[in-house]
Amino acid sequence: MKTLVWVEHDGGTVKDTTLATVTAAAKLGEVHLIVVGQGVDGVAQAAAEIAGVGKVHVADDAAYANALAENVAPLIAELMGHHDAFLAPSTTTGKNIAPRVAALIDVMQISDILSVEGPDSFTRPIYAGNAIATVKTSDTKLVLTVRTTAFEKAAAEGGSGTIEAIPTTGDAAKSRFVGAEKAENARPELTSAKVIVSGGRALGSEEQFHALIDPLADKLGAAVGASRAAVDAGYAPNDYQVGQTGKIVAPEVYVAVGISGAIQHLAGMKDSKVIVAINKDEDAPIFQVADIGLVGDLFTVVPELTDKV
Ligand SMILES: Cc1cc2nc3c(=O)[nH]c(=O)nc-3n(C[C@H](O)[C@H](O)[C@H](O)COP(=O)(O)OP(=O)(O)OC[C@H]3O[C@@H](n4cnc5c(N)ncnc54)[C@H](O)[C@@H]3O)c2cc1C
């Protein structure tokens, strides 16, 4: 089977989400990549070095500068004439592109796959991850989005893919890029961080959130996350949210501070390797998934812990 993986990048480097998606694609067959953007020679070079990659298709055009899904999807749909499966990571942009490709080639998308069970069957989470469904498709072409935390990352080096420029499909004139406000953050990115410290509603205010969570995260070299309650209360920005309607993470260590462990929060972090929970209520559901639990008042425990790290 010939697969095509959309390369997620920031204009200069290939994102880790791509590496995990390549691993998923390799379980199906030959891996080809598609790099879309403007001025993406460097990205194409880096993509060609990913272990196991065959061909790297490159579409370089001003129309692709901001990865507008309305422009990217027709290009990929065109390439699907020569490929059997299209895979994109289940990230904001991946989830924007893949369904459009599925619609254009008239197949059903299988979302958020956790494993490849065979050439036409996959597992995926349902009911916010409380059950895992095995789905089998009879479509002749596959469109899949990949839960990247469920797959190991392919090695970023060691490959020798061939780079091939392809004709672009240009501007579909259905959408227009207005602007992007990017949050400046010196900390690791939430979805690729090895350690995450997350704060919940119990922090009580934005000031206290930062006064307690940030120093601990700094000492641990961790990314900062938050529960939806903390985000909704304005203690932390939206892009910190972990959970069903936030980011899905699976770091080596996840520290949940003053987070109750609602099912929707667990859906985003329960695959973390080691979960540490700090909560004053010993019956809080977070302790059911925690490997290490600390029952206590976070306003005492967290500064003590930060001092000792
Ligand atoms: C459709 C839908 C989608 C959702 N998506 C998400 C999502 O993506 N992410 C998400 O997080 N939530 C999500 N939610 C919300 C979720 O149901 C919970 O409301 C939310 O996770 C609760 O956040 P919390 O644990 O910070 O707050 P709470 O549930 O209020 O828990 C606070 C915890 O702090 C503890 N505590 C209080 N004071 C202290 C103290 N001084 N020291 C130590 N511990 C203390 C309490 O014992 C309690 O366990 C979603 C809900 C719905 C309906």
Side-chain angles (χ1 to χ4, degrees):
M1 188 184 291
K2 221 190 260 182
T3 71
L4 182 67
V5 171
W6 169 69
V7 173
E8 180 151 53
H9 62 84
D10 60 7
T13 52
V14 172
K15 293 202 173 179
D16 283 357
T17 51
T18 306
L19 302 178
T21 309
V22 164
T23 301
K27 292 182 189 294
L28 289 166
E30 206 180 315
V31 183
H32 290 187
L33 306 181
I34 170 79
V35 174
V36 191
Q38 186 181 25
V40 285
D41 286 353
V43 177
Q45 289 293 345
E49 281 169 27
I50 299 173
V53 163
K55 201 176 275 182
V56 180
H57 303 277
V58 184
D60 202 315
D61 191 310
Y64 304 135
N66 299 295
L68 292 180
E70 292 80 0
N71 293 351
V72 176
L75 175 81
I76 291 169
E78 194 86 18
L79 280 177
M80 284 305 286
H82 314 288
H83 294 86
D84 307 297
F86 171 66
L87 296 93
S90 286
T91 53
T92 308
T93 313
K95 288 192 289 189
N96 202 7
I97 293 170
R100 289 177 160 83
V101 174
L104 289 168
I105 64 171
D106 198 19
V107 300
M108 186 184 70
Q109 171 180 298
I110 301 176
S111 306
D112 223 10
I113 62 162
L114 298 171
S115 69
V116 175
E117 300 294 310
D120 56 1
S121 48
F122 308 90
T123 60
R124 60 178 303 270
I126 54 173
Y127 302 117
N130 281 296
I132 306 297
T134 303
V135 290
K136 195 172 160 91
T137 175
S138 53
D139 279 331
T140 49
K141 300 223 183 235
L142 301 171
V143 173
L144 309 167
T145 59
V146 176
R147 167 89 56 116
T148 53
T149 52
F151 292 88
E152 293 292 326
K153 285 179 232 150
E157 283 165 12
S160 53
T162 51
I163 299 175
E164 187 180 305
I166 54 165
T168 71
T169 43
D171 188 351
K174 289 186 177 148
S175 59
R176 187 168 56 87
F177 179 77
V178 176
E181 280 175 35
K182 293 195 178 155
E184 293 296 330
N185 196 342
R187 294 208 175 79
E189 202 185 332
L190 206 44
T191 47
S192 53
K194 289 200 164 50
V195 182
I196 295 174
V197 181
S198 268
R201 195 197 313 261
L203 271 306
S205 70
E206 186 182 359
E207 293 69 33
Q208 292 183 153
F209 187 99
H210 292 297
L212 279 112
I213 300 296
D214 291 3
L216 181 57
D218 287 343
K219 282 221 168 155
L220 294 172
V224 175
S227 71
R228 176 157 155 184
V231 168
D232 286 352
Y235 307 165
N238 269 312
D239 60 344
Y240 279 30
Q241 188 177 315
V242 171
Q244 186 188 335
T245 43
K247 290 186 172 138
I248 309 284
V249 299
E252 303 284 326
V253 181
Y254 187 88
V255 186
V257 179
I259 293 179
S260 60
I263 181 174
Q264 297 89 352
H265 188 80
L266 300 185
M269 46 60 78
K270 69 175 163 32
D271 291 333
S272 305
K273 306 262 178 329
V274 175
I275 297 172
V276 181
I278 300 170
N279 198 301
K280 70 176 183 187
D281 173 10
E282 63 181 37
D283 294 325
I286 191 78
F287 288 127
Q288 286 167 21
V289 297
D291 301 286
I292 300 169
L294 198 50
V295 179
D297 186 332
L298 70 88
F299 293 101
T300 321
V301 169
V302 174
E304 268 179 34
L305 187 62
T306 308
D307 269 355
K308 288 193 170 134
V309 172

